[in-house]
Amino acid sequence: MKTLLNNIDLNEALSGKSNIGFVPTMGSLHEGHLSLIKKSLKLSSKTVVSIFVNPRQFNNKKDYKKYPRNIKKDLKILKRLKVDFVYLPKIKDIYKFKNKIKIKLTKQDKILCAKYRKGHFEGVIEVMTRLTKIVNPSKIFMGEKDFQQLLLVKKYVEKNFKSKIVFCKTIRDKNKLALSSRNILLDRNNLNKAGKLAEDLINFKKKLLKKKNLKNLIFMKKNELKRNYDIKIDYLELRNTKNLKLTDKITNAKIFIAYYINKVRLIDNY
Ligand code: AMP
């Protein structure tokens, strides 16, 4: 495994290479990231994993500061997986050049996390279009755990570059909680609670298959979750997986949730 500390190293390492698979991450790697990396190793000739905690996508400075970082452990994991290249850019490597791509969310885009985290997706799209320009991969592997991010990045990246976005399934722990770097910030009790909530919503979605007037059932479920789990919910909504429009039909739809448990914001979809 070769560690690339700047764009000069990266350009030299990737010169003449084709079928590059790229896995962008913010580090504190877990099995969710690992599933993306394994898929890239299988489908690509060379795999680049980046670790970059992107300041521009945090709408809250405190959140950026307390974002878990664990670079030594991450490098050990990546070495064990036999990743070809790990790219550890500095802020200037990403932001020193001008990005010609105009980023403006439409009114339809300003839903779910875009509504509650102002500027977040503009920051994500900014870094993803810049990283795509720098790495120039054939495929970019991203997780369905961040489904709205996936669709927005796909829209901007595939419109402006030849790179294709590959959707990867959400990896969960034994309690059904979606793995996330932020889970480190939760104690055992809250981790269990979040796991129970995930299982609760997975079962709830199964029940919706046979029901009518889903909007009302979801509204009632939201209140029940608030009561039973002592959480603050940003949203609990059923949306179509193609265009993220609100829907009352369960086919091609997912339940999306964002909530705070002990001041830690978690998102998931089922
Ligand atoms: P992050 O380091 O949180 O920015 O995530 C990097 C990539 O890993 C993103 O494409 C995420 O969607 C993906 N990812 C994070 N958690 C999971 C998970 N539990 N299962 C699958 N992919 C995930």
Side-chain angles (χ1 to χ4, degrees), residues 58-264:
F58 288 84
N59 48 333
N60 176 327
K61 264 211 174 118
K62 254 197 206 155
D63 193 24
Y64 172 63
K65 282 224 170 106
K66 77 171 187 191
Y67 194 84
R69 292 163 172 87
N70 219 331
I71 192 74
K72 265 196 187 156
K73 191 173 159 211
D74 288 349
L75 290 176
K76 260 192 202 161
I77 293 172
L78 295 173
K79 208 167 168 183
R80 208 175 55 223
L81 283 176
K82 298 201 172 69
V83 163
D84 301 284
F85 303 109
V86 52
Y87 173 45
L88 307 174
K90 304 272 179 306
I91 287 185
K92 66 172 192 282
D93 290 300
I94 305 293
Y95 287 110
K96 74 182 165 197
F97 62 91
K98 197 169 161 11
N99 192 1
K100 290 195 190 111
I101 298 163
K102 283 245 169 330
I103 299 162
K104 192 160 171 21
L105 296 194
T106 62
K107 204 175 154 207
Q108 292 94 292
D109 287 336
K110 289 185 184 165
I111 53 170
L112 301 171
C113 285
K115 184 169 152 196
Y116 289 90
R117 297 184 72 190
K118 294 256 155 35
H120 167 65
F121 285 122
E122 287 85 344
V124 170
I125 297 164
E126 181 74 59
V127 77
M128 279 307 302
T129 49
R130 285 171 177 270
L131 280 167
T132 306
K133 183 153 180 64
I134 295 166
V135 178
N136 190 23
S138 302
K139 298 188 187 80
I140 305 175
F141 296 83
M142 299 184 73
E144 289 186 5
K145 149 107 182 359
D146 303 281
F147 202 83
Q148 189 180 15
Q149 162 175 291
L150 200 47
L151 292 188
L152 281 169
V153 169
K154 181 177 167 68
K155 176 170 142 185
Y156 278 85
V157 165
E158 293 190 353
K159 192 170 130 198
N160 292 289
F161 302 93
K162 284 192 181 136
S163 314
K164 290 275 171 277
I165 306 292
V166 181
F167 287 39
C168 304
K169 290 263 165 281
T170 300
I171 304 298
R172 300 178 179 279
D173 70 10
K174 61 177 188 329
N175 293 333
K176 301 278 190 294
L177 175 62
L179 296 179
S180 162
S181 307
R182 289 176 192 271
N183 293 355
I184 297 175
L185 304 171
L186 295 174
D187 63 17
R188 179 72 18 224
N189 178 33
N190 282 316
L191 277 174
N192 282 336
K193 220 192 224 184
K196 288 220 164 68
L197 185 145
E199 198 171 8
D200 193 337
L201 282 176
I202 290 167
N203 292 332
F204 174 66
K205 188 176 179 200
K206 280 183 199 150
K207 280 189 206 141
L208 289 186
L209 285 170
K210 293 178 215 133
K211 297 265 163 69
K212 287 216 165 79
N213 196 2
L214 305 190
K215 211 172 177 180
N216 191 38
L217 292 174
I218 287 171
F219 176 78
M220 290 195 308
K221 188 72 185 173
K222 191 172 166 186
N223 287 330
E224 182 197 307
L225 293 179
K226 277 192 225 164
R227 268 199 317 274
N228 290 356
Y229 296 90
D230 187 25
I231 51 172
K232 179 180 164 289
I233 300 182
D234 273 352
Y235 56 77
L236 180 80
E237 290 172 352
L238 185 71
R239 289 186 176 264
N240 183 289
T241 47
K242 292 277 167 291
N243 51 23
L244 290 188
K245 285 206 169 115
L246 279 170
T247 178
D248 213 25
K249 290 200 188 76
I250 199 75
T251 39
N252 298 324
K254 275 177 177 284
I255 296 173
F256 291 86
I257 189 167
Y259 66 97
Y260 287 87
I261 183 162
N262 198 23
K263 299 208 175 110
V264 180

